[in-house]
Amino acid sequence: MKHGNSVLIRDTSDVLLILALITLPADGTRLGITMPYWTPIAPAFLILYALCNSRLSLRSIRQYLGFFLFLPLLIAVSLFGWLTIGFHGMYVFQTMCALVSGLACLVSLDVAFRLKRLDWNKAVTIVVAVYWIAFAVGVLQWMDSRLGITPVTRLFQLLMERNYVPRKPQFLFAEPSYIGMHIFGVLLPLFWLTRRKSLALLTLVFAFGSACMGVGVRILIDTMIALLLWAMVEIRWDRARNVIAALAGVGVIGAGGTLTLLHNARVQSMLQHGLMQGDFSTLARIFRSLAPMLAGLHDPVHLIFGFGMGNIKDAMLQGYDAARAVITAQGGNPDGNGEIRLIADTDNSTYYFTMNAYVSFITEFGIVMLVAFLILLLAHVTLNHAWSKTTICWLILLCYLYIQFEGYAFYALWLYIWATGLRRPLIHAARTESPQ
């Protein structure tokens, strides 16, 4: 995206946008907004930016009207759950804050780069710089895990809401398993939009560096899937030699990734003992999704129309015994998992999360609203004539990433919605500039 007057600040409100860009990777500190399982800072700046540019924001709302009208529909469908299950102000506020923050991200992108025509390339340069800083933080944390650097340990104990240092690096993210959301939900799509080699390098270094530092199993799986989709975008399939090279590359990636996974201690434990017994964290994640879904299956009306905004706790507790019985029948030991026991014993409002966007959305708003949103999203891309190999692979990647992440406010989805609404200056350019 190029403009004749290449500036990133046209008025004082644009400082808020820059602050949002600078804080994109910082989503696990004590300084951010408390949302389910993460504490991002950038959404606060994006909300303020949208408010400070209210006149332009109204134009952006008209541009993406369907997504803004969807919020009142979510509130309307929640009335059923609020009347039949209950209304919990704190939980409702958290969900509403997340939804509003996501829409603010969409508005801010549109106001800044379509209406105010700020310099897109300079903004991306800031993003590249701050993610390199985040990676450097992860390297420092990894060194701490090896060398026991006491000041580093204490620093992150004070800074991070959920601290994993010095056990393993978490960068500035809420937890290590969210690394792929940033790398493949933000950095890789920005590469597709800009074709900047610096983004490709950062994406690969961040992904493989994280894997080498042993941050977890998910980044290994995320990287394998993302690289396959990346190859699908970059390769021209109308040439036989490209197809052969692609198949060979897929084979190498698949074999290398499989070998790496098989040598991972957590994977070996799960292969030996099964999902229910092989890993403490995996069992807790399964339980968090299983409990509300079983509650819905035993209460089909609420499965269809939702338990209501903010009522994930009610659904999780309602399905607690059923999930416990299922896991026990499969050989698991939920009573021996402290994280699962705490679900039934805590009143902490930040503890009730599913770590799965689909489960969270269905629990709060029902299957009917999930289907409605998917129709809205597909219609948006279709009406903007934005379907291409890039946008299809990008959408598949998003659908995968949100399986283990539930933050409605996270930037990946809203970046996709905005970019597919601007096919000509962004997606089209990326496609035509791709390597031959």
Side-chain angles (χ1 to χ4, degrees), residues 131-149:
Y131 273 97
W132 273 119
I133 292 172
F135 181 75
V137 168
V139 173
L140 180 63
Q141 293 170 340
W142 176 76
M143 293 174 62
D144 180 31
S145 70
R146 301 286 173 164
L147 303 176
I149 309 172

Side-chain angles (χ1 to χ4, degrees), residues 115-247:
L115 299 180
K116 298 178 76 170
R117 301 178 68 81
L118 301 183
D119 193 300
W120 168 252
N121 289 315
K122 289 180 179 177
V124 172
T125 297
I126 292 175
V127 173
V128 171
V130 296
Y131 273 97
W132 273 119
I133 292 172
F135 181 75
V137 168
V139 173
L140 180 63
Q141 293 170 340
W142 176 76
M143 293 174 62
D144 180 31
S145 70
R146 301 286 173 164
L147 303 176
I149 309 172
T150 302
V152 174
T153 302
R154 290 177 177 173
L155 171 64
F156 289 101
Q157 285 175 344
L158 293 172
L159 180 64
M160 306 305 291
E161 182 71 23
R162 296 173 60 88
N163 183 52
Y164 289 80
V165 179
R167 285 180 294 154
K168 56 183 176 180
Q170 70 182 109
F171 305 89
L172 294 171
F173 309 141
E175 75 142 47
S177 68
Y178 290 173
I179 296 170
M181 287 298 302
H182 285 271
I183 301 175
F184 305 120
V186 176
L187 298 179
L188 179 56
L190 285 178
F191 167 74
W192 282 333
L193 297 177
T194 63
R195 315 306 298 179
R196 289 178 57 162
K197 293 181 180 179
S198 59
L199 274 165
L201 175 64
L202 174 57
T203 301
L204 293 173
V205 170
F206 219 130
F208 287 104
S210 300
C212 290
M213 286 188 282
V215 298
V217 175
R218 182 182 173 183
I219 188 59
L220 299 173
I221 301 173
D222 289 357
T223 300
M224 289 176 59
I225 292 174
L227 286 178
L228 293 177
L229 289 169
W230 194 346
M232 292 292 294
V233 171
E234 299 301 318
I235 294 170
R236 291 189 59 176
W237 297 93
D238 56 346
R239 297 181 181 179
R241 65 180 184 181
N242 290 351
V243 174
I244 294 173
L247 292 176

Side-chain angles (χ1 to χ4, degrees), residues 109-411:
L109 287 169
D110 197 54
V111 167
F113 303 114
R114 183 177 70 89
L115 299 180
K116 298 178 76 170
R117 301 178 68 81
L118 301 183
D119 193 300
W120 168 252
N121 289 315
K122 289 180 179 177
V124 172
T125 297
I126 292 175
V127 173
V128 171
V130 296
Y131 273 97
W132 273 119
I133 292 172
F135 181 75
V137 168
V139 173
L140 180 63
Q141 293 170 340
W142 176 76
M143 293 174 62
D144 180 31
S145 70
R146 301 286 173 164
L147 303 176
I149 309 172
T150 302
V152 174
T153 302
R154 290 177 177 173
L155 171 64
F156 289 101
Q157 285 175 344
L158 293 172
L159 180 64
M160 306 305 291
E161 182 71 23
R162 296 173 60 88
N163 183 52
Y164 289 80
V165 179
R167 285 180 294 154
K168 56 183 176 180
Q170 70 182 109
F171 305 89
L172 294 171
F173 309 141
E175 75 142 47
S177 68
Y178 290 173
I179 296 170
M181 287 298 302
H182 285 271
I183 301 175
F184 305 120
V186 176
L187 298 179
L188 179 56
L190 285 178
F191 167 74
W192 282 333
L193 297 177
T194 63
R195 315 306 298 179
R196 289 178 57 162
K197 293 181 180 179
S198 59
L199 274 165
L201 175 64
L202 174 57
T203 301
L204 293 173
V205 170
F206 219 130
F208 287 104
S210 300
C212 290
M213 286 188 282
V215 298
V217 175
R218 182 182 173 183
I219 188 59
L220 299 173
I221 301 173
D222 289 357
T223 300
M224 289 176 59
I225 292 174
L227 286 178
L228 293 177
L229 289 169
W230 194 346
M232 292 292 294
V233 171
E234 299 301 318
I235 294 170
R236 291 189 59 176
W237 297 93
D238 56 346
R239 297 181 181 179
R241 65 180 184 181
N242 290 351
V243 174
I244 294 173
L247 292 176
V250 168
V252 170
I253 293 172
T258 301
L259 287 174
T260 303
L261 283 171
L262 291 176
H263 282 82
N264 183 277
R266 287 179 63 187
V267 174
Q268 289 179 344
S269 178
M270 284 186 282
L271 289 174
Q272 182 177 355
H273 303 290
L275 288 176
M276 300 298 180
Q277 301 181 51
D279 184 70
F280 175 95
S281 178
T282 300
L283 179 61
R285 286 171 182 255
I286 291 173
F287 190 94
R288 287 185 178 279
S289 291
L290 185 61
M293 285 296 93
L294 288 176
L297 290 175
H298 289 92
D299 189 353
V301 176
H302 284 107
L303 179 65
I304 296 172
F305 297 106
F307 287 79
M309 183 186 298
N311 285 342
I312 288 179
K313 175 182 178 180
D314 298 83
M316 194 170 286
L317 293 178
Q318 188 172 314
Y320 187 95
D321 289 337
R324 181 173 169 273
V326 168
I327 289 177
T328 301
Q330 296 298 317
N333 180 23
D335 294 335
N337 189 299
E339 187 173 334
I340 292 176
R341 292 199 309 271
L342 194 59
I343 292 174
D345 297 334
T346 185
D347 292 325
N348 187 345
S349 64
T350 65
Y351 198 72
Y352 292 94
F353 48 86
T354 68
M355 301 187 77
N356 182 306
Y358 307 103
V359 172
S360 291
F361 198 87
I362 290 173
T363 301
E364 291 191 277
F365 308 112
I367 291 176
V368 65
M369 294 310 291
L370 177 63
V371 172
F373 180 79
L374 293 176
I375 292 173
L376 174 63
L377 179 61
L378 297 177
H380 166 75
V381 181
T382 301
L383 291 174
N384 284 286
H385 307 286
W387 289 116
S388 68
K389 188 166 61 174
T390 301
T391 56
I392 292 171
C393 290
W394 186 357
L395 182 58
I396 293 172
L397 184 57
L398 285 179
C399 290
Y400 160 74
L401 290 173
Y402 278 93
I403 291 174
Q404 290 193 66
F405 186 83
E406 64 180 316
Y408 301 148
F410 193 76
Y411 327 106

